Each structure stands twice: as structure tokens, then as C-alpha cells.
Amino acid sequence: MKPIVAIALREWRSMFLSPLAWTLLAVLFAITSWMFSAATRLYQIQQMQFQAFGGGGASLTDSTVAPMLGNAAVLLLLISPLLTMRLIAEEKRRETWPAVASSPLSPMQILLGKYFGLLLFLAVTVGLLAIPPLLLFAYGSPDGGQIFSGLLGLFLVAATFGAVGLAASAATDNPIVAAVISFGVLLSLWIASWMGEAGGTDTVDQVLAYISLTGHYEKFLTGVISSADLAYFVIVSLLALVAARYRLMAERVRG
Amino acid sequence: MSDVMIEMTEISRFFGPTRALAGVNLQVKRGEVVGFLGPNGAGKTTAMRILAGILAPTSGGARVAGIDLLSDPVEAKAKVGYLPESPPIYADMSVREYLAYLASLRRVPRKRRRDAVDRAMTRCGLDHVADRLLGNLSKGYRQRAGIAQAIVHDPQVVILDEPTVGLDPIQIREIRELIRNLGGEHSVLLSTHILPEVQMTCHRAVLIHNGTIVSDDTLEGLENRAKSGHELFVRLARPPEVSVLKSLPGIRQVEALRGGWRILVEAGANPAEALVKRSVEENWGLSELTPASHSLEEVFVNLTTREPQAVAVQESAQ
């Protein structure tokens, strides 16, 4: 456990020392905040219309927080490959990998160390993205539970993206190639449901819909935390970690 | 625990169809410093990566400090410090942070970590750059930091892949001194293609060529082998027939060379005295008699340029 913590802390630190992570955070925060303020303005206009013509009006959280977090996940889809590409590929390219690989660590310990370091960073990211929704409490009465569920969903999405990115980074010693691989895999996970929606009841379509990340995430955004959706993210992350582990083991044999 | 700290038995390693190692057997005892010599591409680095637990052999077995590297790689790696060909440096860390980080990966308890780092830095002459970023240091200091990380956890076995590459002559001397001091406490296997390095730092030299070990001998043994190819150069004003020279005891062969004679001497014999005596008696007019011995270098070149089969035959004949 101790070496895992050591790797995690080093990884976390080196992310904050690199301008890349800061830039990505800034871009992510700027765009999501912009979208959020646009959504709140739209909501205000809608509320005024509802007041003028009567009617119940839409939920504040549904109209502002949910779309913002939905968009944040899309942005993460674009950004997280850039964040994770370095994790292992960079060590191999800079030839620091032998120092880690010759230390008394199992491949899984190395991967978990890297992964937890990344999760720390992602926690900071989600924490940052929590600021705009929490500001709503100052001006209205948003649904706190729904916001929490949405943020948890976003963190799970980010963690899953991270695990896939880590596996891609373990598969190559070129960070750019790692980024392309993880982007490809993540996009496939994202759009699988589009492929699935065509038929409807067909088994293949149902499987595709289950594989797709979007359906599971949307439930979190509506405020529903179900163990099935939680399990989905955990399973995909674990599969990615296990794949990365086999890749690292095979490397010892293949050279 | 047995005294053999590094043990490779019949290690072979293929990269696709390419054979990098073919049945390598190697033993290094506790406290021994062994030089691993060979031309580029001979398999030195492959063998060392196997011992560092980074590469698995295609066949054969390896143990370090009595622990099987194949069945228990993690425990075995705890006993090994490894400097790869290019020093594994994190440019964004200071020397101290770097060594502390790797010490923590290698099970140095938190309480002892500071001392371990300080000790490694002192041994490698890094004290005055302790808080500088590795990315800003010169090649020589990076190399030293690479050596420091290989010994920071006080491993029983130290494997150094070309430790003096990129250093200036003064640094080379310091590092050689350091390596010599490592022996006794640690077992050291170091690869190089610089012969004097082996002469200065090692107890034993193992020569590898085309993935096979062609010679494994102590330095004295190698020097004796060098001397056994002993030869004399003689210049005579009134030389006799070549057959007369050849008939002297202990002379293997006589060749004309630069207006004199090059005399190859049989192993262990010294015909110089007989030669001088005969020359005086028969008035050959001896004007020069110079002993010349093969340098270690020539011995190595001989061993590596011969066909492997021929070497194997010669080895088994000994």
C-alpha cells in the first residue's frame, strides 16, 4: 500500500507541476462555466414567461446543472486522453520506467498508484466544477441531492475515462498514440447507444445500450443513483486496469 | 543463505527470431565485483535487464540473493539495485525528492529514508546539488543520480549498465572508487566495454559475445593468459639460419620483422637467457632484445573475434 501512495502522490504532484494539467483545467472550467451561465439566463427567461402566461415551470436543477454536467462529460471525453496519455507511456519514452519496473512492485501496484494519483486530480477537477452549481444555493433552491448525484456521476465518468486512458498509456511508449487509442475507445463507449437505438428490442441493441456510457450517466444527472449504474462504471474501470496489468506482464515476456 | 548472490543458469532470451542470449551461466558471490564485458550487441544489457526483473528469460533460471526471479519477481527485485543504460531521471524532481521517492518504492521505512538518501548522495558526490532539479543537471550528475538510486535502498545486489558513460575523467575515477567500495558489502555486476575499468574495479571479468559467455576468469587468470602469449623481439647483426633460432629451447615460432626477428615463446618458457648465451658464443651481434606481452586488450579481441565454436573448443580443452 505504501508504494501505491508514493506513486499516487508523485503523479498528482507532477500533474500540477505540468502546465498541461493547469491548461486543461482552465479550459474545462471556462467552457462549462460559460455554458452554465447561459443555461441560467435561459432559465430566468423561461421563468418570466411562465409567470406571464401561467404554468408550473421547469425544475431549476434540471434546466441548469444537468445540462452543464452533461456537457462537462463531453469535454472530459476530449480532454482526459490528453491528461492520461503521459501516465506510463511518458515514463517509457523518457526511460524512467526501468527505475519503477525494477522496484519491488507488482504491475497492479504500479497501475493503482498511477490511477489513484489521477483520481486525486479528477477529484479536484470535479470539485472545481461543483462551484457553479453550488452558487445556485445563493439565489434559489436547487435540488441538493440531484446536484450531488450529478457530481458523483461526473466523477465516475471521469474515473472510467481515466482507467481507459491508463490502459491505453500502458499499451504504447508514445503518449500521442496513447491519447488516440483512449479517445477512440472512449468515443466508442459514448456512441454505442446511438448504434443501439436503431432497432429497439433487439438483444444486440440492448447490449449496446448497456455498454454505452451515456445512458448510465444520464440517470445520475436526473438524480437517480442505482447500483446497476454504479456497477457499470466500476466494471469498466476494473476491466481497463486488468487489461493494463496483462499488458505490463506481457511486456516482461515480449521485451 | 548461500554465498552466491547472482545466479543465472542456462538463460536464453529471444526477441522474436533474434537470439540475444544463448544458455548463459553466471554466478557472482557475495561481495564480489564482476565486470561484464563484450562488444556492443553481445547481450550484456539483456542479461542485466533479466537480473533486474524487467525482462523474463525465454528459458533458464535466475536467482538473486537466493530468491527465484521467475517465481517471485517482486521479492527478488527488493534485493536488487539497477542502473539502466540511460539514467532513469525525473526531470521535474530535485535529487533529494527523486531518491526519497525511489527509496519509498523500494521499502525503505519512512524513518530511515532521510538517512538512506543522505548516504546515497554522499557516496555519489551529490551533496551540493541535493536540492537542484535533475532536469537542470549535467549528464555527469544525472549519471551519478542514476547510480545513487541503484544503491539508495542498500540492495544486496547492484547491477550497473555502463556506469561511467558520459562522465569526465575525474568523475570516472570517483565512480570507479565508489564501485570498488561497493564490493565487500554488495555484490556488483557492471557492464562496460572499457577494459581498464575492469582492471581497476573488478575481481573477475566475464566476457560475453553473441549471447554466450566466452570467458569467465579472475583478473590474474586473464593476465596470465595474456603473458602466456609472450613474445620476444631480437635484433642481430649477424643472424644465423632461422632453423638455428627455432631449435633453441622454448621457442615456438620465429618470424622476420622490421630487420629483426619476432620470436613467439612457448607458454611458461623463457628462452631469453639461452638466446643471449648462444649469441655471445657464436658472435651473432645481439643489438636488441625486447620482451613484448599481449595486453589484456588483445586477449579480449582474440576471444571475441574468434568463431564461437573455436572458442568453445578451446575453453573445454583448458
Side-chain angles (χ1 to χ4, degrees):
Chain A
M1 197 60 206
K2 275 186 204 161
I4 297 180
V5 173
I7 295 179
L9 290 178
R10 198 210 97 79
E11 211 52 53
W12 189 60
R13 203 178 142 272
S14 96
M15 278 189 172
F16 277 108
L17 285 177
S18 86
L20 179 69
W22 284 109
T23 316
L24 292 180
L25 268 188
V27 169
L28 183 65
F29 190 63
I31 294 180
T32 45
S33 306
W34 186 23
M35 286 172 167
F36 180 73
S37 67
T40 21
R41 233 171 348 186
L42 188 67
Y43 178 76
Q44 272 180 318
I45 295 167
Q46 280 174 348
Q47 283 306 104
M48 282 190 282
Q49 286 171 343
F50 281 128
Q51 272 164 11
F53 304 109
S59 135
L60 170 63
T61 322
D62 274 344
S63 326
T64 55
V65 179
M68 173 208 158
L69 293 181
N71 288 326
V74 178
L75 285 174
L76 273 180
L77 175 77
L78 302 171
I79 282 173
S80 79
L82 299 175
L83 208 58
T84 56
M85 65 180 187
R86 291 171 42 262
L87 285 170
I88 288 176
E90 179 90 344
E91 292 230 28
K92 288 191 190 143
R93 202 170 57 112
R94 299 220 184 253
E95 295 177 308
T96 52
W97 183 245
V100 182
S102 69
S103 295
L105 303 165
S106 67
M108 200 38 127
Q109 282 178 308
I110 299 175
L111 289 167
L112 286 179
K114 296 267 176 190
Y115 189 51
F116 290 152
L118 179 69
L119 289 186
L120 275 176
F121 183 85
L122 294 175
V124 172
T125 310
V126 173
L128 202 59
L129 294 180
I131 296 173
L134 292 180
L135 282 177
L136 285 182
F137 282 104
Y139 305 100
S141 48
D143 181 344
Q146 194 181 350
I147 292 180
F148 173 77
S149 144
L151 289 171
L152 175 66
L154 184 66
F155 181 72
L156 288 171
V157 167
T160 307
F161 286 177
V164 171
L166 178 60
S169 189
T172 167
D173 51 11
N174 183 331
I176 303 295
V177 174
V180 173
I181 295 173
S182 59
F183 181 68
V185 174
L186 294 181
L187 195 60
S188 312
L189 277 181
W190 194 267
I191 64 173
S193 67
W194 303 354
M195 311 292 143
E197 265 163 4
T201 51
D202 195 34
T203 334
V204 178
D205 291 351
Q206 282 175 339
V207 169
L208 282 173
Y210 179 78
I211 288 174
S212 173
L213 198 136
T214 33
H216 301 281
Y217 182 43
E218 275 158 13
K219 290 249 214 66
F220 279 96
L221 293 182
T222 58
V224 180
I225 303 179
S226 80
S227 49
D229 298 320
L230 273 173
Y232 168 82
F233 289 109
V234 173
I235 289 171
V236 174
S237 306
L238 277 180
L239 283 177
L241 285 174
V242 169
R245 173 182 177 269
Y246 277 103
R247 169 66 215 189
L248 291 184
M249 303 276 276
E251 204 161 76
R252 232 181 126 228
V253 176
R254 223 180 311 162
Chain B
M1 200 194 286
S2 98
D3 243 17
V4 178
M5 298 306 278
I6 301 177
E7 193 177 11
M8 295 179 100
T9 30
E10 288 300 320
I11 291 273
S12 292
R13 171 73 211 200
F14 285 79
F15 291 101
T18 319
R19 190 185 64 185
L21 292 177
V24 167
N25 289 295
L26 176 68
Q27 290 200 336
V28 178
K29 294 200 177 65
R30 185 189 302 276
E32 222 180 356
V33 180
V34 173
F36 209 16
L37 277 153
N40 292 327
K44 296 182 299 247
T45 297
T46 304
M48 295 183 122
R49 286 174 67 199
I50 288 174
L51 287 174
I54 291 176
L55 211 60
T58 309
S59 66
R63 298 168 83 82
V64 283
I67 302 169
D68 196 315
L69 250 170
L70 301 176
S71 63
D72 199 356
V74 174
E75 286 314 304
K77 282 194 257 188
K79 312 284 182 197
V80 181
Y82 171 55
L83 169 73
E85 248 173 325
S86 66
I89 295 302
Y90 292 101
D92 60 355
M93 289 179 122
S94 77
V95 175
R96 194 188 294 279
E97 288 166 343
Y98 170 68
L99 293 175
Y101 170 58
L102 289 175
S104 68
L105 292 194
R106 291 165 192 171
R107 302 178 178 175
V108 178
R110 183 184 293 272
K111 275 182 244 157
R112 291 222 325 269
R113 212 172 288 159
R114 207 191 160 80
D115 288 342
V117 169
D118 284 341
R119 184 154 177 262
M121 286 197 299
T122 308
R123 290 180 90 173
C124 299
L126 289 162
D127 286 316
H128 56 289
V129 292
D131 296 310
R132 284 183 55 189
L133 287 186
L134 281 159
N136 297 339
L137 293 180
S138 69
K139 173 93 179 78
Y141 278 111
R142 292 178 191 198
Q143 187 70 20
R144 289 194 208 197
I147 298 173
Q149 64 81 29
I151 60 173
V152 69
H153 50 305
D154 209 15
Q156 287 169 290
V157 171
V158 180
I159 293 166
L160 305 170
D161 201 345
E162 303 196 349
T164 55
V165 164
L167 301 181
D168 68 41
I170 298 165
Q171 292 171 328
I172 288 180
R173 208 162 54 188
E174 288 168 2
I175 291 300
R176 285 179 185 161
E177 181 68 34
L178 168 70
I179 294 169
R180 250 202 312 267
N181 292 338
L182 284 177
E185 225 179 302
H186 312 257
S187 302
V188 183
L189 180 65
L190 75 104
S191 80
T192 177
H193 40 233
I194 308 163
L195 266 171
E197 194 154 291
V198 175
Q199 282 170 294
M200 273 179 264
T201 52
C202 301
H203 304 124
R204 196 147 65 83
V206 173
L207 187 68
I208 186 167
H209 184 53
N210 283 338
T212 2
I213 287 182
V214 290
S215 152
D216 182 349
D217 207 343
T218 58
L219 278 186
E220 293 94 76
L222 282 172
E223 271 154 20
N224 284 340
R225 208 188 295 187
K227 279 181 197 138
S228 70
H230 188 71
E231 59 183 64
L232 294 171
F233 180 74
V234 213
R235 210 186 287 273
L236 302 164
R238 293 171 291 281
E241 291 290 314
V242 176
S243 58
V244 178
L245 281 177
K246 260 189 185 160
S247 69
L248 286 168
I251 289 179
R252 190 151 53 92
Q253 209 189 327
V254 180
E255 293 166 7
L257 182 79
R258 295 195 307 263
W261 304 95
R262 177 172 175 235
I263 297 175
L264 299 180
V265 177
E266 278 169 17
N270 190 353
E273 195 183 339
L275 190 78
V276 173
K277 206 167 155 193
R278 199 64 188 275
S279 161
V280 173
E281 281 170 8
E282 299 186 11
N283 196 20
W284 290 344
L286 179 68
S287 61
E288 189 182 338
L289 176 65
T290 327
S293 68
H294 286 299
S295 65
L296 267 184
E297 202 143 354
E298 284 168 287
V299 174
F300 284 115
V301 170
N302 277 339
L303 282 168
T304 48
T305 45
R306 252 180 270 163
E307 288 299 313
Q309 280 95 341
V311 173
V313 169
Q314 192 229 355
E315 291 282 302
S316 61
Q318 280 179 347

